[in-house]
């Protein structure tokens, strides 16, 4: 993947993504382009020097010299950050999405900036005798309906320059999210529910996309997206927006087979502990993956590290 | 309400177009006849044809550029079953195969012979022919009509072939092509004097000497190009002329040499081959319009520091973003195509632009 020649006129280097080619090959009308977005993946806005003594013409001189990479065909690797349209030009703060790790039940596993999903009954039983009580960051992938640990994200203005008692502007409130996870490893389940959601699509790389909406109850009656009240506990410092709360149900393949662990995984390197229970490093394998949460309207994306663990001996 | 997607208006934001692109394909004779000591020539154990590459074919850099073969009809005077008729059945099979595909069948179901002027009701037939099958890599969708030129060395002396040449072109191709072939359109190949005057006379366009099938990418060259067309028939294998060694005439060689030997002889007398190909490009152009109120903010993590935009000091400052990519999405937000700009494009509320993204099929 080289850089594009930027010595002359602006050119556009366009390619179909692998998913686009797949949809085209299916020949059933699924290749139907209906909307577009602009992206700025290569841009480091930290290079914007609004105090440059040479004047405003030099504020973005470094940004404009950024070389642009050729188009990639992997649909998951392109357009990671999109440009956003707001009707107002006077916005100074924009909302972000952060993993809510300081609130009870959704902290990372100690020592890892990651959640650990225990994929089968034997692995869960090696770390708890009740199926309900696991240390923070350990998720029961075998029976997600048991226990209180979950993955949680908070959305809002993450600044201490605006009081957290102020309600977030409705135009900055995210009401719908894309949640993406590798469909070979897990499916999405709402906190408080006992039934996995159905993905809205699964791409050629087995990435399942779920669309979850504010106050939209799932089949099991639980919501994934809810409002955060002003001033409520949150990892957002300023005005709060919405929160997602979800669990991951490991797939039947991960529960019953070690093939994916042998193919994609690694032998354990450190012991995993929960209360007084320990799963020794030599006794498990793990696969590192990512859960991606993106705001549909605000476009902000956060990747959350997830480690799938299976006891092997 | 914020949004990062903008829906196309199908009535004005996309257009389907069809364009014909042409590439000039010059094949110099040295590639065909000796630059690589024939390491770019591939012969097969079946002996039915010979492949020509633009580089020694054992290299992964080599491209297959055309195939050569030769044949004659069962009724040809050079056909026969004696021991001196080498690969007689294979040559007839090649001729019939090419004729079946390119000239088709008559009302009785018999394979038509190639007709010199394209009038299938009668006239002179091409009974002995060389076939130049250009690969799709070069011909693409078709050979551009009126662009074909094949220069052959027709000096009587085999060892000095290019002292006299003829140019074979589809001179009338651009407006005089035929459509009565099952393999698409074809034109008549005409020969004119190149270097010297090997032909004593010819018409304005030249003298008919073969057929060129544009979509199939096949040139059918009559053996008369080396014989009756010329004042002095050429030798296909010897320094001495045909007059003293009739066994070296083109028809004698067609009969007594293997197909590969005939292909070698043709390559030896090929000085240049030049044509333009045609690529039919069907495109959909999407006009991605960024109006003044669109796309002035970014979800790029570096755009914010503690949720505050790094490109603004006060709320009254203009927001600014820099576009590097355009994503085309399905209705359910699947990224189907992506286009990258060669340099970042500044977008503010004071600017508008339209990115024109073309997808070719």
């Amino acid at each position: 993947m080289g850089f594009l020649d930027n010595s002359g006129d602006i050119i556009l280097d366009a390619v179909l993504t692998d998913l686009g080619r797949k949809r085209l090959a299916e020949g059933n009308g699924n290749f139907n382009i209906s909307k577009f977005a602009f992206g700025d993946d290569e841009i480091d806005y930290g290079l914007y020097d609004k105090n440059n003594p040479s004047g405003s013409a030099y504020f973005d001189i470094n940004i404009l010299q950024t070389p642009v990479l050729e188009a990639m065909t992997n649909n998951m690797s392109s357009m990671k950050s999109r440009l956003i349209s707001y009707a107002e030009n006077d916005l100074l703060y924009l909302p972000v999405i952060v993993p809510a790790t300081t609130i009870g039940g959704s902290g990372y596993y100690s020592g890892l900036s990651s959640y650990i999903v225990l994929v089968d009954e034997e692995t869960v039983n090696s770390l708890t005798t009740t199926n309900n009580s696991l240390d923070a960051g350990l998720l029961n992938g075998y029976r997600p309906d048991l226990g209180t640990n979950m993955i949680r994200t908070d959305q809002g203005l993450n600044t201490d320059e605006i009081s957290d008692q102020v309600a977030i502007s409705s135009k900055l409130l995210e009401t719908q999210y894309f949640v993406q996870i590798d469909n070979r490893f897990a499916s999405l389940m709402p906190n408080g529910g006992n039934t996995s959601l159905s993905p809205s699509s699964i791409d050629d790389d087995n990435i399942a996309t779920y669309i979850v909406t504010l106050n939209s109850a799932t089949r099991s009656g639980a919501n994934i997206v809810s409002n955060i009240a002003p001033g409520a506990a949150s990892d957002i410092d300023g005005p709060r927006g919405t929160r997602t709360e979800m669990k991951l149900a490991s797939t039947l393949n991960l529960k019953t087979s070690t093939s994916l662990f042998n193919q994609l995984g690694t032998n354990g390197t450190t012991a995993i502990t929960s209360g007084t229970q320990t799963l020794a490093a030599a006794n498990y394998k793990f696969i590192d993956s990512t859960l991606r949460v993106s705001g549909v309207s605000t476009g902000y994306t956060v990747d959350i590290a997830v480690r799938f663990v299976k006891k092997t001996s | 309400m914020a949004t990062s997607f903008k829906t196309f208006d199908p009535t004005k934001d996309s257009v389907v177009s069809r364009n014909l692109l042409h590439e000039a394909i010059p094949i110099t004779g040295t590639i065909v006849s000796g630059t690589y000591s024939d390491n770019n020539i591939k012969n097969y154990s079946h002996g039915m044809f010979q492949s020509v590459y633009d580089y020694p074919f054992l290299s992964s850099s080599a491209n297959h550029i055309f195939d050569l073969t030769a044949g004659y009809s069962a009724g040809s005077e050079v056909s026969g079953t004696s021991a001196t008729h080498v690969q007689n059945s294979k040559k007839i099979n090649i001729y019939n195969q090419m004729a079946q595909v390119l000239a088709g069948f008559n009302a009785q179901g018999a394979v038509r012979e190639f007709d010199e002027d394209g009038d299938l009701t009668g006239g002179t037939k091409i009974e002995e022919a060389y076939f130049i099958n250009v690969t799709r890599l070069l011909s693409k969708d078709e050979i551009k009509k009126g662009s074909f030129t094949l220069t052959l060395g027709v000096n009587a002396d085999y060892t000095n072939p290019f002292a006299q040449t003829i140019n074979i072109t589809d001179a009338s191709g651009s407006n005089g092509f035929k459509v009565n072939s099952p393999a698409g359109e074809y034109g008549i190949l005409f020969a004119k004097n190149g270097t010297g005057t090997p032909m004593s006379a010819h018409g304005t366009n030249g003298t008919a000497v073969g057929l060129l099938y544009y979509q199939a990418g096949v040139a059918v060259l009559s053996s008369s190009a080396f014989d009756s067309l010329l004042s002095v028939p050429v030798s296909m294998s010897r320094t001495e002329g045909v007059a003293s060694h009739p066994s070296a005439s083109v028809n004698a060689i067609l009969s007594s040499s293997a197909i590969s030997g005939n292909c070698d002889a043709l390559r030896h007398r090929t000085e240049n081959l030049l044509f333009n190909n045609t690529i039919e490009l069907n495109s959909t152009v999407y006009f991605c319009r960024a109006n003044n109120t669109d796309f002035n903010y970014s979800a790029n993590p570096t755009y914010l520091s503690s949720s505050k935009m790094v490109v603004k000091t006060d709320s009254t400052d203009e927001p600014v973003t820099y576009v590097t990519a355009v994503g085309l999405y399905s209705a359910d937000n699947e990224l189907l195509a992506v286009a990258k700009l060669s340099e970042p494009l500044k977008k503010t509320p004071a600017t508008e632009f339209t990115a024109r993204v073309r997808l070719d099929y």
Side-chain angles (χ1 to χ4, degrees), chain B residues 27 29 32 66 68 130 132 147-153 165-170 189-192 209 219-221 225-226 266 269-275:
Chain B
I27 302 172
V32 179
F66 61 83
L68 293 174
Y130 293 97
I132 304 171
S147 71
F148 184 91
T149 303
L150 172 64
T151 304
L152 295 178
T165 63
I166 56 171
N167 293 324
I168 297 173
T169 66
D170 61 330
L189 290 174
F190 294 95
K192 294 172 79 171
V209 72
V220 180
L221 182 65
F226 300 108
L266 175 60
R269 289 190 172 274
T270 301
E271 187 174 47
N272 274 312
L273 174 59
L274 173 67
F275 62 89

Side-chain angles (χ1 to χ4, degrees), chain A residues 4-6 8-17 19-20 23-24 31-46 48 50 60 63-64 66 68-72 75 78-79 81-86 88-96 156-159 161 170-171 173 175 178 201 211 296-300, chain B residues 1-9 13 286-290 292-347 349 353 355-359 361:
Chain A
L4 293 168
D5 181 358
N6 57 6
D9 293 338
I10 295 178
I11 58 164
L12 270 174
D13 167 43
V15 295
L16 292 181
T17 62
L19 180 64
R23 294 287 180 258
L24 195 60
F31 185 85
N32 187 13
I33 291 171
S34 65
K35 53 189 170 182
F36 71 95
F38 287 109
D40 60 357
D41 290 352
E42 288 94 343
I43 301 299
D44 177 1
Y45 286 93
Y48 193 86
K50 56 193 175 191
D60 58 3
I63 289 179
L64 289 172
T66 303
V68 179
L69 293 162
E70 290 175 320
M72 275 185 281
N75 60 302
S78 300
M79 300 294 293
S81 73
R82 300 190 297 270
L83 302 189
I84 312 296
S85 300
Y86 287 99
E88 300 77 11
N89 293 329
D90 59 354
L91 300 176
L92 187 58
Y93 298 92
L94 292 179
V96 297
L157 302 182
N158 197 18
T159 176
E161 295 179 8
S170 61
K171 58 180 170 274
L173 184 72
T175 59
F178 298 125
S201 65
I211 300 177
V296 172
S297 60
T298 58
Y300 200 86
Chain B
M1 187 66 181
T3 178
S4 57
F5 297 109
K6 190 168 182 181
T7 303
F8 286 115
D9 179 344
D13 288 341
Y286 295 92
F287 297 97
C288 305
R289 305 180 201 279
N292 62 323
T293 57
D294 297 334
F295 306 112
N296 294 319
Y297 297 89
S298 174
N300 188 319
T302 66
Y303 195 65
L304 303 174
S305 174
S306 298
S307 274
K308 189 175 183 179
M309 280 180 262
V310 298
V311 297
K312 286 177 124 185
T313 305
D314 299 308
S315 62
T316 52
D317 293 344
E318 264 195 346
V320 58
T321 56
Y322 299 87
V323 182
T324 63
V326 187
L328 304 181
Y329 291 83
S330 67
D332 51 358
N333 304 305
E334 291 179 326
L335 180 61
L336 300 179
V338 63
K340 299 297 290 282
L341 278 70
S342 57
E343 62 188 63
L345 191 60
K346 187 176 184 175
K347 177 71 184 76
F353 63 82
R356 183 176 170 276
V357 181
R358 192 183 79 193
L359 295 181
Y361 302 97

Side-chain angles (χ1 to χ4, degrees), chain B residues 145-180:
Chain B
K145 299 177 184 72
S147 71
F148 184 91
T149 303
L150 172 64
T151 304
L152 295 178
V154 289
N155 193 36
D157 179 355
Y158 181 76
T159 57
N160 184 26
F162 303 125
Q164 294 191 96
T165 63
I166 56 171
N167 293 324
I168 297 173
T169 66
D170 61 330
S172 63
S174 55
N175 56 12
F177 58 89
K178 309 286 183 183
V179 294
N180 56 351

